[in-house]
Amino acid sequence: MQPSLGSTITGSQLVAQTLKHHGITTVFGIIGIPVIEVGQACIDIGIRFVAFRNEQSAAYAACAYGYLTGRPGVLLVVGGPGVVHAMAGIFHAQTNAWPLLVLAGSSESFQQGMGAFQELDQVSYVKPHAKFSARPPTLAQIPYTIEKALRTCFYGKPGATYVDLPADYIQGSVAVNEIVQMSAIQPPLRMIAGQDEIGRAVDLLVSAKRPLLVIGKGAQYSRAEDAVHKFVRTLPIPFLPTPMGKGLLPDTHPLCISAARSAALARADVVLVVGARLNWILHYGRSPKWAENVKFIRIEIEPEAVDDNVKAEVGLVGDVKAVMEQLRDELTRRGFRDDRAGQIQDSQDSDIKLVNADHTAWYQSLLAKCHANSQNMIQKSVIYPQIPSLKPFNPPKPLQYHQAFALIKQYIPHDHIFIGEGANTLDIARSMFDVFQPRSRLDPGTQATMGVGMGLAIAAGVLAQQEVELGQRKIRRKVVAVVGDSAFGFSAMEVETAVRNRLGMLIIVMNNGGVYKGLTAAEYAKISMTSLPPTALLPEVKYEQLATLCGGHGVLARTPDELVAGVKSGLERQEAGEVTIVNLLMEPGGHKKLEFGWLASTKKEKSKL
C-alpha cells in the first residue's frame, strides 16, 4: 500500500488506499453519515464510486459485478437501515456464490448500547448470512480486516463478507508507522480432483448409454469455457445449460439440447454436473423429473456439497476449470481425440455421429424432441398480419410474450449482455433468447429474487463501459434488460442511476398490468378497489416516461412495428451511453391460469434414512 504523504492518515483515506492496494477499481453504494468521507476518499484516489438510489439495488449490482469480473464486488453503505436494506444483496451473493465485500459505517465504538444514531449490532446481524463478518479491533488494523474479508469472499466457494467501520474510525487518524500492512490479494489457487475419481468419472461417461452434461453458473464464474469446449470436442455428449449457464457454450451449438430439457432429464443415465447445484432449478436430482437410477458425477468446490439431495456416484472436488481439464486429459490419454469438432460443427443434425452408436442414438432422439418443441415455439410466435383488402383495419391484438420475444431477438447482436427478470417474462425469455458468449446472461438466480433487474443491468453497463475504456473491446457491448412490469417496479428509480452514469442500455418492460397477469383498462374500471385481484396493477402505466424524466429516451409500443422501432432505436442510442425504456403494452392475460414450470410437482419419496 502506498503510504500517506504525511505522518498520519484518516480512517476514510486508509479504507480507500486499502481497496486500491488490492486492485479494487469500482465501488457501488449510497453514502451518508458517516461513510460520506469514505466515498469521497475513494473518488480522490481514483476509484470509481457508482452512487445508487437504494441500497438493495446497489448490493445486487456489486455482487453481480463480482460475478462478471471474477474479483470481489464492493458495496459501501451507511449503518443501521442501510445495512438492513443491503442484506438483500448479501443474501443474494451468498446463495448464488458471488464474491461481495460490504463496508458499512456504524455508530461510534464508544457509544455501543447507548442508543446511538442508527445503532445496530451489524457484525452479529450479518454474520449468519456471510462467510465473514468483523469489525477491525483498531483503526490501524483496518487494512488487515479488509484484506481478510476480500480474500475470504472469493477464495473457495465465493460469497459475501462484511467489515464494520465505526464513525470514530472513519473520522479519526492514525500514525502511518502504526498501520498493519498486508500484501495485495492474489487470485485463488485452482484446486484439482483426485486422479482416481477422474478415472472413475471417465469410465462412467464412456460406458453410459445416455450421457448428459449440465452446465451451471459456477462454470461461468470459473472461466471454464475453453476447458468445456475442449471436453465436448473430445467426448461429444449432449449438454444442457441452467439459466445462467447459458452462453458458456453458445446456445446454437449443435450439442445444446435445451429445447428437449424435460426429455433429457427424464432419460439420462449418467450426468456430469458442472458448476450447478441439484436444487429446485434441477428438481433436486430426483424422480419423477429425473430417471430413477440416474448416476451423477458432480464437480463441487466444497467436499460437503458433493452429496447434497442425492448421493453422487463420483464426486470431483475442485475448481470447475481445472477439473474439466483433468477429465479431458484423461480422455486424451485413453485415445479419444478432438477431431470430431469440425465434423459436428459443419454437419447437418441428422448426419452427426458421436463416439459410439448408443451416444449417437441418444443424441438423435433428443434432437427430434428439440425440433418438435421448436416448431411449437414458432407457432406461438406467429403474429397474424392484418389483411390489406379488409378496410377499415381493425386495431391489432395486443402482443403476447412469444410474439414479442420473437421480434426482439431478431435485432439483438450476438455479443449482448442479457438481463431477464419477472415471472412469465423470465420463464419464457429463458427458452427464447439465445446467449452466445460466457457470462452474458443475468437473472434473479438461485433465490428467484425480484427487484434485481436494474442492479444487474447497471453492473453489466459498468462492465461494458470499462471494457471499451480498457481497450478490451472497440465497441461497447449492448445491454438488454427484458423485465416484467411488476419486477421493474421494485427498482425503477435506478433508471436515474443508469442515465447519470451514461450506462447505455435498453430496458423493455413487458407491461401486462399485473403480477403474473393483469386486467385490461375496461376490466379494471368495472371492479371496485376493494375487490381487485392481488395480481392486479394499474393498467397501461406509462413507464417510458420515467426514462424521459431522467434524461433518457422513452418509447410506448402497442404494435409490432412500434416495438421493433423502439428496440432498434434503443440499441443505436447505447453507443452514446443513452438509456432507453420501451414500454410494451401487451396482452394482460387476466383470465389465464397461473403456471410456473420450475415448480412442477415432485412426488414425495419415502425417507431412506
Side-chain angles (χ1 to χ4, degrees), residues 340-396:
R340 298 179 188 83
Q343 299 172 21
I344 292 175
Q345 203 68 45
D346 298 334
S347 300
Q348 297 296 318
D349 291 344
S350 59
D351 298 330
I352 292 176
K353 301 292 189 293
L354 303 189
V355 295
N356 60 47
D358 285 334
H359 288 199
T360 298
W362 161 237
Y363 172 57
Q364 295 293 349
S365 72
L366 293 176
L367 277 184
K369 189 67 175 176
C370 283
H371 292 326
N373 289 343
S374 296
Q375 288 302 310
N376 183 44
M377 190 76 72
I378 291 170
Q379 289 299 315
K380 292 180 179 180
S381 303
V382 170
I383 301 171
Y384 295 100
Q386 298 291 301
I387 301 174
S389 61
L390 299 178
K391 296 182 180 181
F393 296 127
N394 293 321

Side-chain angles (χ1 to χ4, degrees), residues 575-589:
E575 279 304 310
E578 191 163 350
V579 176
T580 299
I581 295 178
V582 176
N583 180 22
L584 176 63
L585 300 182
M586 56 182 299
E587 167 62 47

Side-chain angles (χ1 to χ4, degrees), residues 391-414:
K391 296 182 180 181
F393 296 127
N394 293 321
K397 293 181 179 179
L399 289 170
Q400 298 182 6
Y401 290 100
H402 292 85
Q403 296 169 332
F405 292 164
L407 289 172
I408 295 166
K409 67 183 291 186
Q410 295 179 45
Y411 300 95
I412 300 176
H414 280 195

